[in-house]
Amino acid sequence: MTTFIFGEAMLEYHSHGGAGLRYGGDTLNTAIHLARAGHEVAYVTAVGTDPISDALVDAWAAEGIDTRHVLRHPNRSPGIYAIHLDQHGERSFLYWRDRSAAREMFALPGMTEALGAAASAKLLYFSLISLAIIDDAGREALFALASTRKQAGLAVAYDSNYRPNLWANRRVAAEVSGKAMQCCTIGLPTNTDERDLWASEEGECAIAERWNGTGCALVAVKAAEKGCVLGDRTGDAPRVIPAVRTEVVDSSGAGDAFNGGFLDAWLRDRAIDDCVEAGQSKARATLAHRGAILL
């Protein structure tokens, strides 16, 4: 059965250069990892009608992604982002996405069909960035889809990937993320994102417990070199699964890679500890090369 992923994909410019068409985006990165692992993945977004948009869609299809629900906007184009790396491999970003076609994807013809197809998929996945770039009507449509699936016992995975510059203020972002937490079954937050989003100093175990308290059945809190904290609703305390230290060349996309590895193993009905190890392994591989995705 197909996994449906909703989000924004953009053109990528890297400070270290690199020839050819480069692209990325948190949900697209995870979609590519899952497709490369052999899963059926449908990506729902919007691009333009220009030749570069055509090339992007062709490249994603070549990765094995189902692009039938990549919608076309008549007078918008893909967003662009630039990555700069410091000497430790930590990244900073610049974005040009105000005219991104994905911002209006829920108003385009074809979205009703995409939502209908996603209703019975094996897995639905989106992030706080997905929610940040769309309008209130789009958010409500995505929440309705997620809630209906959860009530039917179907899986919904959510990553609270917080980017402050996408939001009017932190309070609005936290309110939207809180709604998403209530309609997901698998939570994939990052410790630093959660602390920034909720203006707190919570530890990873407290973050896991808070997510479980909203009704999220399983949460894996990504904590970089600390590893991962797993929480569930069995009543047992969250537990830490340590990470293997690795040299960082570029931290871009490491969290997206973890999500891809974790969900790959989950879709194969692996034990939860094995899902974490699969996520950590994929993240280590991503940290070892430049760019969010090895093209």
Side-chain angles (χ1 to χ4, degrees):
M1 294 178 67
T2 302
T3 292
F4 268 72
I5 298 181
F6 286 70
E8 179 188 31
M10 295 179 289
L11 291 162
E12 176 187 284
Y13 169 78
H14 204 287
S15 61
H16 286 273
L21 184 71
R22 298 188 66 94
Y23 43 83
D26 65 332
T27 53
L28 177 67
N29 298 338
T30 298
I32 290 173
H33 286 300
L34 286 173
R36 288 180 179 180
H39 297 283
E40 295 180 357
V41 181
Y43 193 59
V44 184
T45 190
V47 295
T49 57
D50 54 274
I52 291 178
S53 292
D54 293 344
L56 288 174
V57 176
D58 288 346
W60 304 336
E63 289 281 1
I65 293 174
D66 180 351
T67 60
R68 285 177 293 178
H69 303 290
V70 176
L71 309 179
R72 299 301 189 110
H73 197 290
N75 49 36
R76 286 185 172 235
S77 57
I80 303 172
Y81 71 101
I83 303 176
H84 176 74
L85 296 181
D86 66 17
Q87 59 183 339
H88 304 295
E90 288 301 324
R91 75 268 195 250
S92 57
F93 297 92
L94 287 174
Y95 295 97
W96 296 267
R97 71 199 318 172
D98 288 348
R99 295 289 300 167
S100 168
R103 287 183 173 270
E104 295 189 353
M105 61 178 163
F106 277 85
L108 294 175
M111 180 53 73
T112 299
E113 180 182 351
L115 291 168
S120 59
K122 172 74 172 179
L123 174 67
L124 169 67
Y125 173 67
F126 59 94
S127 75
L128 189 55
I129 293 177
S130 307
L131 295 168
I133 63 151
I134 57 180
D135 62 14
D136 289 342
R139 290 171 193 159
E140 291 307 313
L142 196 49
F143 288 150
L145 171 65
S147 296
T148 299
R149 286 179 53 86
K150 185 174 181 177
Q151 291 168 9
L154 297 174
V156 179
Y158 168 65
D159 181 350
S160 57
N161 211 346
Y162 178 46
R163 297 293 180 267
N165 62 340
L166 291 178
W167 295 94
N169 56 61
R170 182 192 58 78
R171 180 189 59 78
V172 173
E175 180 181 341
V176 171
S177 191
K179 291 180 180 179
M181 291 162 63
Q182 292 174 12
C183 57
C184 75
T185 63
I186 301 172
L188 296 166
T190 299
N191 56 353
T192 52
D193 284 340
E194 284 291 293
R195 290 173 190 143
D196 291 343
L197 179 58
W198 296 97
S200 77
E201 296 298 325
E202 285 180 309
E204 289 76 23
C205 290
I207 292 171
E209 289 173 340
R210 176 164 52 79
W211 276 65
N212 289 148
T214 67
C216 181
L218 173 65
V219 59
V221 183
K222 303 185 288 286
E225 69 277 359
K226 293 181 182 179
C228 175
V229 173
L230 274 178
D232 57 38
R233 303 192 71 199
T234 61
D236 295 332
R239 53 196 178 87
V240 180
I241 299 180
V244 176
R245 288 186 175 272
T246 189
E247 181 180 356
V248 177
V249 173
D250 182 351
S251 60
S252 306
D256 311 329
F258 176 94
N259 294 352
F262 183 97
L263 294 173
D264 168 32
W266 181 87
L267 287 163
R268 299 179 192 278
D269 296 320
R270 302 277 172 80
I272 296 303
D273 285 31
D274 292 340
C275 294
V276 172
E277 171 51 33
Q280 291 178 335
S281 176
K282 190 72 70 175
R284 287 194 297 271
T286 298
L287 289 167
H289 66 73
R290 292 195 176 103
I293 288 288
L294 185 61
L295 300 177

